[in-house]
PDB file of all heavy atoms in Angstrom:
ATOM      1  N   VAL A 248      -3.895  -9.094 -17.237  1.00 89.00           N
ATOM      2  CA  VAL A 248      -5.074  -8.191 -17.161  1.00 89.00           C
ATOM      3  C   VAL A 248      -4.823  -7.190 -16.060  1.00 89.00           C
ATOM      4  O   VAL A 248      -4.475  -7.571 -14.884  1.00 89.00           O
ATOM      5  CB  VAL A 248      -6.280  -9.020 -16.906  1.00 89.00           C
ATOM      6  CG1 VAL A 248      -7.580  -8.162 -16.700  1.00 89.00           C
ATOM      7  CG2 VAL A 248      -6.656  -9.950 -18.052  1.00 89.00           C
ATOM      8  N   LEU A 249      -4.996  -5.905 -16.346  1.00 94.00           N
ATOM      9  CA  LEU A 249      -4.907  -4.795 -15.388  1.00 94.00           C
ATOM     10  C   LEU A 249      -5.952  -4.913 -14.300  1.00 94.00           C
ATOM     11  O   LEU A 249      -7.350  -4.838 -14.936  1.00 94.00           O
ATOM     12  CB  LEU A 249      -4.778  -3.403 -16.065  1.00 94.00           C
ATOM     13  CG  LEU A 249      -4.826  -2.237 -15.172  1.00 94.00           C
ATOM     14  CD1 LEU A 249      -3.504  -2.279 -14.348  1.00 94.00           C
ATOM     15  CD2 LEU A 249      -4.868  -1.022 -15.987  1.00 94.00           C
ATOM     16  N   LYS A 250      -5.916  -5.033 -13.097  1.00 96.00           N
ATOM     17  CA  LYS A 250      -6.912  -5.001 -12.082  1.00 96.00           C
ATOM     18  C   LYS A 250      -6.634  -4.094 -10.993  1.00 96.00           C
ATOM     19  O   LYS A 250      -5.432  -3.678 -10.668  1.00 96.00           O
ATOM     20  CB  LYS A 250      -7.064  -6.412 -11.616  1.00 96.00           C
ATOM     21  CG  LYS A 250      -7.763  -7.412 -12.512  1.00 96.00           C
ATOM     22  CD  LYS A 250      -8.173  -8.705 -11.896  1.00 96.00           C
ATOM     23  CE  LYS A 250      -8.760  -9.671 -12.855  1.00 96.00           C
ATOM     24  NZ  LYS A 250      -9.225 -10.934 -12.293  1.00 96.00           N
ATOM     25  N   GLU A 251      -7.642  -3.794 -10.225  1.00 97.00           N
ATOM     26  CA  GLU A 251      -7.547  -2.870  -9.008  1.00 97.00           C
ATOM     27  C   GLU A 251      -7.732  -3.723  -7.876  1.00 97.00           C
ATOM     28  O   GLU A 251      -8.813  -4.508  -7.755  1.00 97.00           O
ATOM     29  CB  GLU A 251      -8.607  -1.727  -9.167  1.00 97.00           C
ATOM     30  CG  GLU A 251      -8.461  -0.706  -7.990  1.00 97.00           C
ATOM     31  CD  GLU A 251      -9.286   0.432  -8.319  1.00 97.00           C
ATOM     32  OE1 GLU A 251     -10.167   0.452  -9.174  1.00 97.00           O
ATOM     33  OE2 GLU A 251      -8.967   1.547  -7.702  1.00 97.00           O
ATOM     34  N   TYR A 252      -7.016  -3.532  -6.795  1.00 98.00           N
ATOM     35  CA  TYR A 252      -6.961  -4.412  -5.597  1.00 98.00           C
ATOM     36  C   TYR A 252      -7.058  -3.515  -4.272  1.00 98.00           C
ATOM     37  O   TYR A 252      -6.380  -2.412  -4.258  1.00 98.00           O
ATOM     38  CB  TYR A 252      -5.749  -5.345  -5.523  1.00 98.00           C
ATOM     39  CG  TYR A 252      -5.789  -6.308  -6.694  1.00 98.00           C
ATOM     40  CD1 TYR A 252      -4.882  -5.984  -7.761  1.00 98.00           C
ATOM     41  CD2 TYR A 252      -6.476  -7.533  -6.676  1.00 98.00           C
ATOM     42  CE1 TYR A 252      -4.713  -6.887  -8.741  1.00 98.00           C
ATOM     43  CE2 TYR A 252      -6.267  -8.298  -7.807  1.00 98.00           C
ATOM     44  CZ  TYR A 252      -5.519  -8.143  -8.894  1.00 98.00           C
ATOM     45  OH  TYR A 252      -5.323  -8.950  -9.959  1.00 98.00           O
ATOM     46  N   GLU A 253      -7.645  -4.036  -3.267  1.00 98.00           N
ATOM     47  CA  GLU A 253      -7.847  -3.155  -2.033  1.00 98.00           C
ATOM     48  C   GLU A 253      -6.565  -3.356  -1.237  1.00 98.00           C
ATOM     49  O   GLU A 253      -6.110  -4.537  -1.155  1.00 98.00           O
ATOM     50  CB  GLU A 253      -9.213  -3.679  -1.273  1.00 98.00           C
ATOM     51  CG  GLU A 253     -10.411  -3.383  -1.923  1.00 98.00           C
ATOM     52  CD  GLU A 253     -11.564  -3.679  -1.157  1.00 98.00           C
ATOM     53  OE1 GLU A 253     -11.300  -4.324   0.039  1.00 98.00           O
ATOM     54  OE2 GLU A 253     -12.719  -3.516  -1.596  1.00 98.00           O
ATOM     55  N   VAL A 254      -6.194  -2.345  -0.507  1.00 98.00           N
ATOM     56  CA  VAL A 254      -5.156  -2.257   0.415  1.00 98.00           C
ATOM     57  C   VAL A 254      -5.523  -1.332   1.576  1.00 98.00           C
ATOM     58  O   VAL A 254      -6.434  -0.643   1.493  1.00 98.00           O
ATOM     59  CB  VAL A 254      -3.772  -1.862  -0.141  1.00 98.00           C
ATOM     60  CG1 VAL A 254      -3.372  -2.644  -1.387  1.00 98.00           C
ATOM     61  CG2 VAL A 254      -3.838  -0.328  -0.560  1.00 98.00           C
ATOM     62  N   GLN A 255      -4.600  -1.527   2.653  1.00 98.00           N
ATOM     63  CA  GLN A 255      -4.800  -0.587   3.874  1.00 98.00           C
ATOM     64  C   GLN A 255      -3.573   0.210   4.017  1.00 98.00           C
ATOM     65  O   GLN A 255      -2.579  -0.478   4.056  1.00 98.00           O
ATOM     66  CB  GLN A 255      -5.193  -1.501   4.961  1.00 98.00           C
ATOM     67  CG  GLN A 255      -5.694  -0.785   6.156  1.00 98.00           C
ATOM     68  CD  GLN A 255      -7.199  -0.376   6.156  1.00 98.00           C
ATOM     69  OE1 GLN A 255      -7.777  -0.767   5.338  1.00 98.00           O
ATOM     70  NE2 GLN A 255      -7.628   0.361   7.184  1.00 98.00           N
ATOM     71  N   ILE A 256      -3.740   1.522   4.118  1.00 98.00           N
ATOM     72  CA  ILE A 256      -2.651   2.315   4.503  1.00 98.00           C
ATOM     73  C   ILE A 256      -2.548   2.290   5.971  1.00 98.00           C
ATOM     74  O   ILE A 256      -3.464   2.816   6.648  1.00 98.00           O
ATOM     75  CB  ILE A 256      -2.677   3.784   3.933  1.00 98.00           C
ATOM     76  CG1 ILE A 256      -2.708   3.766   2.413  1.00 98.00           C
ATOM     77  CG2 ILE A 256      -1.596   4.541   4.432  1.00 98.00           C
ATOM     78  CD1 ILE A 256      -3.019   5.066   1.862  1.00 98.00           C
ATOM     79  N   GLU A 257      -1.444   1.780   6.598  1.00 98.00           N
ATOM     80  CA  GLU A 257      -1.258   1.633   7.917  1.00 98.00           C
ATOM     81  C   GLU A 257      -0.536   2.881   8.693  1.00 98.00           C
ATOM     82  O   GLU A 257      -0.648   3.050   9.742  1.00 98.00           O
ATOM     83  CB  GLU A 257      -0.542   0.310   8.261  1.00 98.00           C
ATOM     84  CG  GLU A 257      -1.319  -0.849   7.877  1.00 98.00           C
ATOM     85  CD  GLU A 257      -0.722  -2.117   8.470  1.00 98.00           C
ATOM     86  OE1 GLU A 257       0.550  -2.149   8.491  1.00 98.00           O
ATOM     87  OE2 GLU A 257      -1.361  -3.137   8.717  1.00 98.00           O
ATOM     88  N   LYS A 258       0.299   3.455   7.889  1.00 97.00           N
ATOM     89  CA  LYS A 258       1.109   4.556   8.371  1.00 97.00           C
ATOM     90  C   LYS A 258       1.462   5.581   7.333  1.00 97.00           C
ATOM     91  O   LYS A 258       1.806   5.138   6.253  1.00 97.00           O
ATOM     92  CB  LYS A 258       2.369   4.099   9.028  1.00 97.00           C
ATOM     93  CG  LYS A 258       3.278   4.973   9.654  1.00 97.00           C
ATOM     94  CD  LYS A 258       4.527   4.371  10.339  1.00 97.00           C
ATOM     95  CE  LYS A 258       5.442   5.454  10.849  1.00 97.00           C
ATOM     96  NZ  LYS A 258       6.722   4.826  11.460  1.00 97.00           N
ATOM     97  N   VAL A 259       1.395   6.828   7.655  1.00 97.00           N
ATOM     98  CA  VAL A 259       1.917   7.847   6.715  1.00 97.00           C
ATOM     99  C   VAL A 259       2.895   8.747   7.400  1.00 97.00           C
ATOM    100  O   VAL A 259       2.668   9.234   8.435  1.00 97.00           O
ATOM    101  CB  VAL A 259       0.592   8.852   6.267  1.00 97.00           C
ATOM    102  CG1 VAL A 259       1.188   9.886   5.318  1.00 97.00           C
ATOM    103  CG2 VAL A 259      -0.442   8.004   5.683  1.00 97.00           C
ATOM    104  N   THR A 260       4.097   8.853   6.732  1.00 95.00           N
ATOM    105  CA  THR A 260       5.152   9.551   7.313  1.00 95.00           C
ATOM    106  C   THR A 260       5.206  10.810   6.560  1.00 95.00           C
ATOM    107  O   THR A 260       5.717  10.948   5.356  1.00 95.00           O
ATOM    108  CB  THR A 260       6.564   8.765   7.151  1.00 95.00           C
ATOM    109  OG1 THR A 260       6.251   7.475   7.857  1.00 95.00           O
ATOM    110  CG2 THR A 260       7.570   9.515   7.713  1.00 95.00           C
ATOM    111  N   ARG A 261       4.963  12.047   7.197  1.00 91.00           N
ATOM    112  CA  ARG A 261       5.066  13.313   6.517  1.00 91.00           C
ATOM    113  C   ARG A 261       6.637  13.617   6.303  1.00 91.00           C
ATOM    114  O   ARG A 261       7.379  13.475   7.192  1.00 91.00           O
ATOM    115  CB  ARG A 261       4.465  14.317   7.313  1.00 91.00           C
ATOM    116  CG  ARG A 261       3.117  14.103   7.913  1.00 91.00           C
ATOM    117  CD  ARG A 261       2.057  13.850   6.794  1.00 91.00           C
ATOM    118  NE  ARG A 261       0.725  13.530   7.228  1.00 91.00           N
ATOM    119  CZ  ARG A 261      -0.263  13.142   6.526  1.00 91.00           C
ATOM    120  NH1 ARG A 261      -0.130  12.919   5.251  1.00 91.00           N
ATOM    121  NH2 ARG A 261      -1.431  12.751   7.199  1.00 91.00           N
ATOM    122  N   GLN A 262       6.955  14.035   5.107  1.00 88.00           N
ATOM    123  CA  GLN A 262       8.326  14.161   4.813  1.00 88.00           C
ATOM    124  C   GLN A 262       8.667  15.388   4.058  1.00 88.00           C
ATOM    125  O   GLN A 262       8.024  15.858   3.167  1.00 88.00           O
ATOM    126  CB  GLN A 262       8.743  13.038   3.896  1.00 88.00           C
ATOM    127  CG  GLN A 262       8.611  11.660   4.387  1.00 88.00           C
ATOM    128  CD  GLN A 262       8.744  10.516   3.306  1.00 88.00           C
ATOM    129  OE1 GLN A 262       8.349  10.764   2.143  1.00 88.00           O
ATOM    130  NE2 GLN A 262       9.422   9.403   3.706  1.00 88.00           N
ATOM    131  N   ASN A 263       9.715  16.092   4.596  1.00 83.00           N
ATOM    132  CA  ASN A 263      10.322  17.398   3.964  1.00 83.00           C
ATOM    133  C   ASN A 263      11.281  16.963   2.989  1.00 83.00           C
ATOM    134  O   ASN A 263      11.596  17.729   2.002  1.00 83.00           O
ATOM    135  CB  ASN A 263      10.810  18.249   5.001  1.00 83.00           C
ATOM    136  CG  ASN A 263       9.807  18.908   5.973  1.00 83.00           C
ATOM    137  OD1 ASN A 263       8.677  19.023   5.588  1.00 83.00           O
ATOM    138  ND2 ASN A 263      10.098  18.991   7.248  1.00 83.00           N
ATOM    139  N   ARG A 264      11.936  15.864   3.243  1.00 85.00           N
ATOM    140  CA  ARG A 264      12.912  15.324   2.269  1.00 85.00           C
ATOM    141  C   ARG A 264      12.446  14.100   1.507  1.00 85.00           C
ATOM    142  O   ARG A 264      11.831  13.326   2.126  1.00 85.00           O
ATOM    143  CB  ARG A 264      14.215  15.046   2.962  1.00 85.00           C
ATOM    144  CG  ARG A 264      14.745  16.270   3.782  1.00 85.00           C
ATOM    145  CD  ARG A 264      16.121  15.844   4.533  1.00 85.00           C
ATOM    146  NE  ARG A 264      17.222  15.539   3.629  1.00 85.00           N
ATOM    147  CZ  ARG A 264      18.350  15.229   4.015  1.00 85.00           C
ATOM    148  NH1 ARG A 264      18.690  15.222   5.290  1.00 85.00           N
ATOM    149  NH2 ARG A 264      19.217  14.932   3.127  1.00 85.00           N
ATOM    150  N   VAL A 265      12.922  13.969   0.223  1.00 83.00           N
ATOM    151  CA  VAL A 265      12.368  12.855  -0.529  1.00 83.00           C
ATOM    152  C   VAL A 265      12.919  11.528  -0.015  1.00 83.00           C
ATOM    153  O   VAL A 265      13.929  11.390   0.334  1.00 83.00           O
ATOM    154  CB  VAL A 265      12.805  12.990  -2.105  1.00 83.00           C
ATOM    155  CG1 VAL A 265      12.178  11.873  -2.908  1.00 83.00           C
ATOM    156  CG2 VAL A 265      12.425  14.391  -2.563  1.00 83.00           C
ATOM    157  N   ASP A 266      12.013  10.597   0.041  1.00 85.00           N
ATOM    158  CA  ASP A 266      12.280   9.197   0.559  1.00 85.00           C
ATOM    159  C   ASP A 266      11.424   8.243  -0.119  1.00 85.00           C
ATOM    160  O   ASP A 266      10.163   8.609  -0.416  1.00 85.00           O
ATOM    161  CB  ASP A 266      12.119   9.093   2.171  1.00 85.00           C
ATOM    162  CG  ASP A 266      12.835   7.879   2.636  1.00 85.00           C
ATOM    163  OD1 ASP A 266      12.497   6.717   2.250  1.00 85.00           O
ATOM    164  OD2 ASP A 266      13.794   8.006   3.345  1.00 85.00           O
ATOM    165  N   THR A 267      11.801   7.083  -0.373  1.00 87.00           N
ATOM    166  CA  THR A 267      11.050   6.023  -1.010  1.00 87.00           C
ATOM    167  C   THR A 267      10.082   5.335   0.091  1.00 87.00           C
ATOM    168  O   THR A 267       9.232   4.584  -0.428  1.00 87.00           O
ATOM    169  CB  THR A 267      11.857   4.988  -1.732  1.00 87.00           C
ATOM    170  OG1 THR A 267      12.722   4.355  -0.696  1.00 87.00           O
ATOM    171  CG2 THR A 267      12.494   5.514  -2.898  1.00 87.00           C
ATOM    172  N   LYS A 268      10.301   5.541   1.312  1.00 92.00           N
ATOM    173  CA  LYS A 268       9.452   4.855   2.408  1.00 92.00           C
ATOM    174  C   LYS A 268       8.562   5.873   2.984  1.00 92.00           C
ATOM    175  O   LYS A 268       8.744   6.388   4.169  1.00 92.00           O
ATOM    176  CB  LYS A 268      10.336   4.191   3.338  1.00 92.00           C
ATOM    177  CG  LYS A 268      11.334   3.146   2.713  1.00 92.00           C
ATOM    178  CD  LYS A 268      12.277   2.572   3.738  1.00 92.00           C
ATOM    179  CE  LYS A 268      13.156   1.443   3.154  1.00 92.00           C
ATOM    180  NZ  LYS A 268      14.108   0.825   4.025  1.00 92.00           N
ATOM    181  N   SER A 269       7.550   6.273   2.184  1.00 95.00           N
ATOM    182  CA  SER A 269       6.631   7.500   2.748  1.00 95.00           C
ATOM    183  C   SER A 269       5.433   6.870   3.464  1.00 95.00           C
ATOM    184  O   SER A 269       4.911   7.615   4.324  1.00 95.00           O
ATOM    185  CB  SER A 269       6.141   8.221   1.445  1.00 95.00           C
ATOM    186  OG  SER A 269       7.252   8.625   0.640  1.00 95.00           O
ATOM    187  N   MET A 270       5.096   5.731   3.190  1.00 97.00           N
ATOM    188  CA  MET A 270       3.870   5.168   3.908  1.00 97.00           C
ATOM    189  C   MET A 270       4.117   3.596   3.807  1.00 97.00           C
ATOM    190  O   MET A 270       4.645   2.895   3.056  1.00 97.00           O
ATOM    191  CB  MET A 270       2.574   5.597   3.094  1.00 97.00           C
ATOM    192  CG  MET A 270       2.581   5.382   1.605  1.00 97.00           C
ATOM    193  SD  MET A 270       1.210   6.008   0.843  1.00 97.00           S
ATOM    194  CE  MET A 270       1.742   6.475  -0.843  1.00 97.00           C
ATOM    195  N   VAL A 271       3.336   2.955   4.873  1.00 97.00           N
ATOM    196  CA  VAL A 271       3.260   1.585   4.989  1.00 97.00           C
ATOM    197  C   VAL A 271       2.002   1.122   4.430  1.00 97.00           C
ATOM    198  O   VAL A 271       0.925   1.641   4.950  1.00 97.00           O
ATOM    199  CB  VAL A 271       3.570   1.123   6.524  1.00 97.00           C
ATOM    200  CG1 VAL A 271       3.402  -0.381   6.503  1.00 97.00           C
ATOM    201  CG2 VAL A 271       4.973   1.444   6.870  1.00 97.00           C
ATOM    202  N   ILE A 272       1.947   0.198   3.575  1.00 98.00           N
ATOM    203  CA  ILE A 272       0.612  -0.326   3.206  1.00 98.00           C
ATOM    204  C   ILE A 272       0.608  -1.873   3.341  1.00 98.00           C
ATOM    205  O   ILE A 272       1.589  -2.552   3.567  1.00 98.00           O
ATOM    206  CB  ILE A 272       0.409  -0.056   1.659  1.00 98.00           C
ATOM    207  CG1 ILE A 272       1.465  -0.945   0.883  1.00 98.00           C
ATOM    208  CG2 ILE A 272       0.514   1.312   1.299  1.00 98.00           C
ATOM    209  CD1 ILE A 272       1.169  -0.868  -0.655  1.00 98.00           C
ATOM    210  N   ARG A 273      -0.619  -2.377   3.388  1.00 98.00           N
ATOM    211  CA  ARG A 273      -0.868  -3.820   3.719  1.00 98.00           C
ATOM    212  C   ARG A 273      -1.895  -4.273   2.696  1.00 98.00           C
ATOM    213  O   ARG A 273      -2.920  -3.558   2.505  1.00 98.00           O
ATOM    214  CB  ARG A 273      -1.378  -4.066   5.189  1.00 98.00           C
ATOM    215  CG  ARG A 273      -1.682  -5.556   5.428  1.00 98.00           C
ATOM    216  CD  ARG A 273      -1.901  -5.827   7.047  1.00 98.00           C
ATOM    217  NE  ARG A 273      -2.921  -4.862   7.542  1.00 98.00           N
ATOM    218  CZ  ARG A 273      -4.131  -5.226   7.600  1.00 98.00           C
ATOM    219  NH1 ARG A 273      -4.630  -6.330   7.058  1.00 98.00           N
ATOM    220  NH2 ARG A 273      -5.107  -4.332   8.151  1.00 98.00           N
ATOM    221  N   ILE A 274      -1.670  -5.389   2.079  1.00 97.00           N
ATOM    222  CA  ILE A 274      -2.559  -6.002   1.014  1.00 97.00           C
ATOM    223  C   ILE A 274      -3.640  -6.696   1.783  1.00 97.00           C
ATOM    224  O   ILE A 274      -3.507  -7.462   2.759  1.00 97.00           O
ATOM    225  CB  ILE A 274      -1.766  -7.048   0.243  1.00 97.00           C
ATOM    226  CG1 ILE A 274      -0.589  -6.422  -0.456  1.00 97.00           C
ATOM    227  CG2 ILE A 274      -2.756  -7.531  -0.750  1.00 97.00           C
ATOM    228  CD1 ILE A 274      -0.887  -5.271  -1.489  1.00 97.00           C
ATOM    229  N   THR A 275      -4.861  -6.282   1.492  1.00 98.00           N
ATOM    230  CA  THR A 275      -6.011  -6.840   2.133  1.00 98.00           C
ATOM    231  C   THR A 275      -6.988  -7.601   1.185  1.00 98.00           C
ATOM    232  O   THR A 275      -7.825  -8.337   1.601  1.00 98.00           O
ATOM    233  CB  THR A 275      -6.941  -5.770   2.860  1.00 98.00           C
ATOM    234  OG1 THR A 275      -7.241  -4.765   1.874  1.00 98.00           O
ATOM    235  CG2 THR A 275      -6.121  -5.104   3.866  1.00 98.00           C
ATOM    236  N   ASP A 276      -6.742  -7.373  -0.175  1.00 97.00           N
ATOM    237  CA  ASP A 276      -7.609  -7.941  -1.151  1.00 97.00           C
ATOM    238  C   ASP A 276      -7.440  -9.501  -1.193  1.00 97.00           C
ATOM    239  O   ASP A 276      -6.397 -10.013  -1.442  1.00 97.00           O
ATOM    240  CB  ASP A 276      -7.346  -7.359  -2.637  1.00 97.00           C
ATOM    241  CG  ASP A 276      -8.367  -7.650  -3.507  1.00 97.00           C
ATOM    242  OD1 ASP A 276      -8.466  -8.784  -3.921  1.00 97.00           O
ATOM    243  OD2 ASP A 276      -9.126  -6.757  -3.886  1.00 97.00           O
ATOM    244  N   PRO A 277      -8.575 -10.174  -1.026  1.00 97.00           N
ATOM    245  CA  PRO A 277      -8.325 -11.732  -0.886  1.00 97.00           C
ATOM    246  C   PRO A 277      -7.909 -12.293  -2.195  1.00 97.00           C
ATOM    247  O   PRO A 277      -7.090 -13.283  -2.165  1.00 97.00           O
ATOM    248  CB  PRO A 277      -9.765 -12.238  -0.650  1.00 97.00           C
ATOM    249  CG  PRO A 277     -10.491 -10.980  -0.030  1.00 97.00           C
ATOM    250  CD  PRO A 277      -9.903  -9.868  -0.518  1.00 97.00           C
ATOM    251  N   GLU A 278      -8.293 -11.867  -3.341  1.00 95.00           N
ATOM    252  CA  GLU A 278      -7.839 -12.166  -4.707  1.00 95.00           C
ATOM    253  C   GLU A 278      -6.397 -12.048  -4.931  1.00 95.00           C
ATOM    254  O   GLU A 278      -5.652 -12.989  -5.326  1.00 95.00           O
ATOM    255  CB  GLU A 278      -8.595 -11.591  -5.814  1.00 95.00           C
ATOM    256  CG  GLU A 278      -8.326 -12.041  -7.028  1.00 95.00           C
ATOM    257  CD  GLU A 278      -8.940 -11.354  -8.322  1.00 95.00           C
ATOM    258  OE1 GLU A 278      -9.967 -10.606  -7.976  1.00 95.00           O
ATOM    259  OE2 GLU A 278      -8.689 -11.551  -9.455  1.00 95.00           O
ATOM    260  N   LEU A 279      -5.818 -10.916  -4.461  1.00 96.00           N
ATOM    261  CA  LEU A 279      -4.522 -10.563  -4.541  1.00 96.00           C
ATOM    262  C   LEU A 279      -3.607 -11.424  -3.700  1.00 96.00           C
ATOM    263  O   LEU A 279      -2.598 -11.935  -4.014  1.00 96.00           O
ATOM    264  CB  LEU A 279      -4.119  -9.133  -4.414  1.00 96.00           C
ATOM    265  CG  LEU A 279      -2.741  -8.676  -4.586  1.00 96.00           C
ATOM    266  CD1 LEU A 279      -2.289  -9.019  -6.013  1.00 96.00           C
ATOM    267  CD2 LEU A 279      -2.771  -7.114  -4.363  1.00 96.00           C
ATOM    268  N   LEU A 280      -4.108 -11.643  -2.446  1.00 95.00           N
ATOM    269  CA  LEU A 280      -3.389 -12.442  -1.455  1.00 95.00           C
ATOM    270  C   LEU A 280      -3.249 -13.912  -2.008  1.00 95.00           C
ATOM    271  O   LEU A 280      -2.300 -14.598  -1.870  1.00 95.00           O
ATOM    272  CB  LEU A 280      -4.049 -12.389  -0.100  1.00 95.00           C
ATOM    273  CG  LEU A 280      -3.938 -11.109   0.621  1.00 95.00           C
ATOM    274  CD1 LEU A 280      -4.759 -11.001   1.828  1.00 95.00           C
ATOM    275  CD2 LEU A 280      -2.534 -10.874   0.944  1.00 95.00           C
ATOM    276  N   GLU A 281      -4.368 -14.395  -2.512  1.00 94.00           N
ATOM    277  CA  GLU A 281      -4.293 -15.853  -2.957  1.00 94.00           C
ATOM    278  C   GLU A 281      -3.300 -15.887  -4.150  1.00 94.00           C
ATOM    279  O   GLU A 281      -2.648 -17.005  -4.329  1.00 94.00           O
ATOM    280  CB  GLU A 281      -5.735 -16.224  -3.351  1.00 94.00           C
ATOM    281  CG  GLU A 281      -5.885 -17.709  -3.870  1.00 94.00           C
ATOM    282  CD  GLU A 281      -7.269 -18.141  -4.234  1.00 94.00           C
ATOM    283  OE1 GLU A 281      -8.209 -17.200  -4.140  1.00 94.00           O
ATOM    284  OE2 GLU A 281      -7.426 -19.109  -4.773  1.00 94.00           O
ATOM    285  N   ALA A 282      -3.257 -14.974  -4.940  1.00 93.00           N
ATOM    286  CA  ALA A 282      -2.541 -15.023  -6.167  1.00 93.00           C
ATOM    287  C   ALA A 282      -0.999 -14.825  -6.014  1.00 93.00           C
ATOM    288  O   ALA A 282      -0.140 -15.445  -6.531  1.00 93.00           O
ATOM    289  CB  ALA A 282      -2.990 -14.026  -7.324  1.00 93.00           C
TER     290      ALA A 282
END
């Protein structure tokens, strides 16, 4: 089942060059953390 879960964006790195590490996120949703 497709679901939506809450996260927190902790850091955003402005980038002129493409990179896969653009931001740091933290999972905060209790249901997702439990699963």
Side-chain angles (χ1 to χ4, degrees):
V248 178
L249 175 66
K250 289 188 177 182
E251 187 167 16
Y252 300 98
E253 292 183 358
V254 302
Q255 190 82 3
I256 298 178
E257 296 188 332
K258 180 181 179 181
V259 180
T260 303
R261 312 298 177 192
Q262 296 169 326
N263 294 322
R264 302 180 66 179
V265 181
D266 197 298
T267 57
K268 298 177 180 179
S269 306
M270 49 188 151
V271 175
I272 65 170
R273 179 167 55 88
I274 305 298
T275 57
D276 195 290
E278 182 182 351
L279 184 56
L280 288 172
E281 183 178 356

